[in-house]
Amino acid sequence: MRAVIYPGSFDPLTNGHLDLIQRAGKLFDLVVVAIAPNESKTPLFSLEERRSLVEQSVAQLPRVEVDTFEGLLVDYVQRRGGHAVLRGLRAVSDFEFEFQLALMNRKLNERIETIFMMPKESYTFLSSRVIKEVARLGGEIGCFVPEPVRQALKEKLRPAQPGGRPGGTSYAADLECATSRG
Ligand code: ADP
């Protein structure tokens, strides 16, 4: 059985992440979404919250597992018997960092390959950071994240919307959805 490990912060999971998980599912027997604590990035959601959101969002997808890990990624991949590491490339700007990371991981364990996949074009602008920013300002993000994530962001950011548009406007939502469908 060939397994790919998809590591990341997933703070929170977006439709871009989900797109990659589905693509990888066509190539591998098992996709393990491996959530790193990444405390240095001061995550909005706790590790357990992130895990629960990913679990709810992939519940309908066959052969996808959700896990958390600490320490070196290559050690985790080895422990899980993973055949490859999956990372996403959205734009050229991702390349340099991902290139460094992949080569460092190869230095640490040369048996582990990193593969890169590109999301659907309309998800290339999506990042957890931008989603959090838009949600914080009261923008509608329903087209960009799975429903459990939308709900959780609304709950989490509800008190911090003094100048924002609570719940967003349907006009903005329509525009954003039109773009994301493209
Ligand atoms: P990290 O903090 O490890 O970068 P992220 O959760 O931000 O964790 O991202 C995990 C992986 O998913 C990274 O390889 C990132 O490039 C990729 N990724 C993030 N957003 C998208 C997207 N919209 N489309 C494709 N890949 C993405």
Side-chain angles (χ1 to χ4, degrees):
M1 185 168 88
R2 299 195 76 76
V4 69
I5 311 289
Y6 182 25
S9 315
F10 303 102
D11 182 44
L13 181 89
T14 70
N15 286 346
H17 292 127
L18 213 46
D19 180 87
L20 240 63
I21 294 167
Q22 286 171 287
R23 282 173 203 280
K26 294 180 194 156
L27 301 177
F28 291 87
D29 304 310
L30 177 68
V31 181
V32 180
V33 182
I35 311 170
N38 244 337
E39 296 304 338
S40 63
K41 279 193 178 176
T42 336
L44 176 66
F45 291 99
S46 72
L47 190 59
E48 271 320 306
E49 286 172 327
R50 283 179 270 154
R51 181 188 190 131
S52 161
L53 289 174
V54 178
E55 276 170 354
Q56 293 173 59
S57 308
V58 302
Q60 308 302 322
L61 301 179
R63 295 174 287 105
V64 178
E65 228 181 271
V66 186
D67 197 5
T68 59
F69 75 101
E70 283 187 64
L72 278 180
L73 173 65
V74 287
D75 293 344
Y76 173 76
V77 176
Q78 179 105 338
R79 249 191 347 266
R80 293 284 325 225
H83 289 82
V85 169
L86 170 67
R87 295 287 289 178
L89 283 182
R90 285 162 289 192
V92 181
S93 51
D94 277 340
F95 179 79
E96 199 167 329
F97 174 70
E98 293 294 342
F99 182 75
Q100 277 183 359
L101 198 67
L103 289 186
M104 175 53 81
N105 283 334
R106 182 183 285 170
K107 274 260 176 284
L108 294 170
N109 185 335
E110 62 183 21
R111 289 193 300 277
I112 295 169
E113 292 294 342
T114 302
I115 63 163
F116 297 97
M117 295 186 88
M118 283 166 287
K120 183 175 161 195
E121 230 171 273
S122 49
Y123 293 148
T124 50
F125 64 93
L126 269 187
S127 72
S128 302
R129 187 182 58 78
V130 167
I131 288 296
K132 283 182 282 192
E133 197 54 36
V134 173
R136 200 169 272 133
L137 296 170
E140 178 53 53
I141 42 144
C143 306
F144 310 128
V145 294
E147 181 56 21
V149 174
R150 191 187 69 82
Q151 288 282 354
L153 276 167
K154 213 166 125 189
E155 291 290 310
K156 183 78 82 179
L157 300 172
R158 188 175 281 159
Q161 291 187 335
R165 297 174 285 122
T169 66
S170 57
Y171 170 68
D174 283 344
L175 268 184
E176 285 157 5
C177 270
T179 316
S180 79
R181 264 184 233 118

